């Protein structure tokens, strides 16, 4: 009975939501109901906002840079191309306005969800080590078996945990993150197991919005020039010079470079992360060359199956949410205890799909 009561206490705050709830939570991230983060579990340099419902990285103000890159062309697009299309090509103009505004809403929502969610922080354990000799022994790596392949795991002296495969300590956020890919300076937060799908979604929508505005700006200049050539009987060069001097056409020369740079960079990220998912690597592993000289890799899935498992498998609940406990029978592990190193064992294994399971 006690076990059932404790198990139920761990599920407080977890509510099932349907498809409409998930869509609302994505498109209206400020209005949707979100669980609170536990102040006692959120350590390091991460910040809590919105009554503990938003968890941001230490460099969250850098998020203004991509936000401005998205919003400035959006405002200029209204002044130039959209006004022209509404007056001269009404049906096409209405369609462009609706699609453009919906896309910018989705991109900003994806960006906010990415910045304000837990990337997969592993709560710190309050362990008191008995002797200096034992503390020295903690520096020695241990091994665990991943798909029948031995993998070294190391002890994090800051978080006091044994780091499972693909869990790394971010020096900027000062937290261990599961499925650590990289720390995004432009978003000011880590990209980990719980936010990698949101990151890829943000990149995809940014590509679409940037190249759409880039192309439509050229279409706008071409249509406007052609219309003035026919109405005033001018050459193409004269008509182009006229629209630059007598209309809002110059805004296109601000939109084109901004959207071009954003489109090229986001397209580069898209190709790079498709390759990483196809080969079942993280960016951190690629940069460090973790599996470069290894004969047998522990994570064997590749191709479309690896991409599907990365993007479409439901993400685990945040371990730093209020009321979360991984296993009711192991709840006492979060209390301060004194353990000799000889008894610290890595009791984890990895299933065939690559996700860690505690045993």
């Amino acid at each position: 009975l006690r076990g059932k009561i404790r198990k139920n206490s761990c599920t407080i705050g977890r509510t099932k939501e349907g498809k409409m709830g998930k869509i609302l939570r994505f498109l209206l991230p400020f209005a949707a109901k979100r669980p609170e983060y536990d102040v006692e579990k959120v350590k390091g340099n991460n910040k809590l906002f919105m009554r503990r419902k938003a968890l941001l990285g230490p460099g969250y103000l850098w998020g203004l840079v991509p936000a401005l890159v998205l919003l400035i062309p959006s405002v200029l697009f209204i002044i130039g191309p959209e006004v022209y299309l509404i007056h001269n090509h009404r049906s096409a103009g209405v369609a462009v306005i609706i699609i453009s505004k919906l896309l910018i809403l989705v991109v900003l929502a994806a960006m906010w969800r990415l910045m304000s969610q837990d990337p997969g922080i592993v709560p710190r354990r309050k362990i008191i080590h008995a002797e200096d000799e034992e503390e020295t022994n903690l520096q020695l790596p241990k091994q665990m078996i991943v798909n029948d392949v031995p993998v070294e795991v190391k002890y994090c002296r800051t978080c006091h945990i044994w780091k499972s495969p693909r869990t790394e300590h971010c020096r900027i956020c000062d937290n261990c993150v599961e499925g650590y890919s990289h720390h995004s300076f432009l978003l000011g937060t880590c990209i980990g197991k719980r936010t990698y799908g949101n990151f890829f979604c943000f990149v995809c929508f940014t590509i679409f919005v940037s190249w759409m505005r880039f192309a439509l700006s050229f279409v706008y200049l071409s249509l406007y020039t052609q219309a003035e050539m026919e109405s005033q009987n001018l050459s193409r060069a004269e008509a182009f010079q006229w629209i630059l001097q007598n209309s809002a056409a110059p805004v296109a020369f601000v939109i084109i470079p901004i959207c071009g740079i954003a489109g090229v960079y986001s397209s580069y990220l898209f190709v790079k992360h498709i390759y990483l998912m196809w080969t079942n690597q993280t960016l951190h592993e690629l940069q460090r060359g973790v599996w470069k000289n290894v004969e047998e890799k522990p994570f064997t899935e590749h191709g479309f199956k690896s991409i599907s498992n990365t993007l479409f498998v439901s993400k685990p609940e945040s371990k730093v949410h209020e009321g979360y406990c991984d296993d009711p029978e192991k709840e006492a592990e979060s209390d301060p205890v004194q353990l000799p190193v000889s008894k610290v064992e890595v009791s984890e294994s990895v299933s065939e799909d690559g996700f860690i399971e505690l045993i």
Side-chain angles (χ1 to χ4, degrees), residues 56 58 66 82 161 261 308 320-321 338:
L56 276 68
E82 290 182 0
I161 61 169
I261 294 171
S308 176
V320 293
H321 273 161
Q338 186 170 348

Side-chain angles (χ1 to χ4, degrees), residues 265-291:
Y265 183 65
S266 54
S267 298
Y268 160 75
L269 291 177
F270 175 83
V271 173
K272 187 174 185 177
H273 285 277
I274 284 289
Y275 168 77
L276 290 172
M277 289 187 287
W278 186 273
T279 56
N280 202 344
Q281 298 183 80
T282 65
L283 183 58
H284 177 80
E285 291 171 347
L286 179 67
Q287 291 175 340
R288 294 292 181 91
V290 175
W291 312 118

Side-chain angles (χ1 to χ4, degrees), residues 230-250:
E230 296 174 357
S231 63
Q232 299 188 41
N233 195 23
L234 300 174
S235 66
R236 180 171 293 276
E238 292 173 338
F240 186 70
Q241 186 176 6
W242 186 92
I243 65 171
L244 292 179
Q245 295 175 352
N246 299 279
S247 70

Side-chain angles (χ1 to χ4, degrees), residues 60-305:
Y60 62 91
L61 290 177
W62 280 103
L64 293 173
V65 175
L68 290 175
V69 169
L70 291 168
L71 290 173
I72 289 175
S74 181
V75 174
L76 296 178
F77 206 74
I78 296 172
I79 299 172
E82 290 182 0
V83 170
Y84 174 81
L85 290 173
I86 283 292
H87 284 90
N88 298 277
H89 307 275
R90 189 170 185 80
S91 57
V94 171
V96 167
I97 289 174
I98 293 174
I99 294 172
S100 177
K101 298 302 174 283
L102 283 176
L103 282 175
I104 196 65
L105 175 64
V106 171
V107 172
L108 291 175
M111 177 180 163
W112 170 251
R113 282 179 55 80
L114 175 59
M115 291 181 61
S116 64
Q117 282 192 334
D118 166 31
I121 294 174
V122 182
R124 299 182 182 184
R125 293 188 63 191
K126 302 175 183 178
I127 298 179
I128 304 172
H129 302 292
E131 302 292 341
D132 292 339
E133 181 181 356
E134 295 172 355
E135 185 73 17
T136 302
N137 290 335
L138 286 175
Q139 298 178 10
L140 301 176
K142 293 184 179 292
Q143 283 192 339
M144 62 180 291
I145 304 301
V146 181
N147 293 332
D148 299 326
V149 178
V151 179
E152 283 191 352
V153 291
K154 297 181 180 180
Y155 187 79
C156 179
R157 300 170 67 91
T158 302
C159 300
H160 304 298
I161 61 169
W162 288 96
K163 296 185 292 184
S164 56
R166 292 186 168 171
T167 296
E168 296 293 337
H169 189 89
C170 176
R171 291 179 296 176
I172 299 172
C173 294
D174 198 25
N175 277 307
C176 281
V177 178
E178 285 185 315
Y180 179 80
S181 171
H182 63 285
H183 183 93
S184 174
F185 287 95
L186 285 178
L187 297 172
T189 187
C190 286
I191 308 301
K193 184 177 182 178
R194 297 190 71 256
T195 54
Y196 193 85
N198 287 339
F199 170 76
F200 192 76
C201 177
F202 171 68
V203 169
C204 291
F205 280 117
T206 302
I207 291 172
F208 193 79
V209 169
S210 299
W211 288 125
M212 184 191 74
R213 287 177 176 164
F214 182 85
L216 285 177
S217 295
F218 280 106
V219 172
Y220 159 64
L221 292 174
S222 178
L223 290 176
Y224 205 168
T225 303
Q226 186 65 32
E228 294 305 320
M229 285 174 59
E230 296 174 357
S231 63
Q232 299 188 41
N233 195 23
L234 300 174
S235 66
R236 180 171 293 276
E238 292 173 338
F240 186 70
Q241 186 176 6
W242 186 92
I243 65 171
L244 292 179
Q245 295 175 352
N246 299 279
S247 70
V251 300
F253 290 95
V254 180
I255 297 173
I256 288 171
I258 294 177
C259 291
I261 294 171
V264 169
Y265 183 65
S266 54
S267 298
Y268 160 75
L269 291 177
F270 175 83
V271 173
K272 187 174 185 177
H273 285 277
I274 284 289
Y275 168 77
L276 290 172
M277 289 187 287
W278 186 273
T279 56
N280 202 344
Q281 298 183 80
T282 65
L283 183 58
H284 177 80
E285 291 171 347
L286 179 67
Q287 291 175 340
R288 294 292 181 91
V290 175
W291 312 118
K292 189 174 182 179
N293 298 320
V294 177
E295 295 181 0
E296 190 175 6
K297 296 180 181 180
F299 302 103
T300 56
E301 289 182 350
H302 294 87
F304 290 110
K305 190 173 183 181

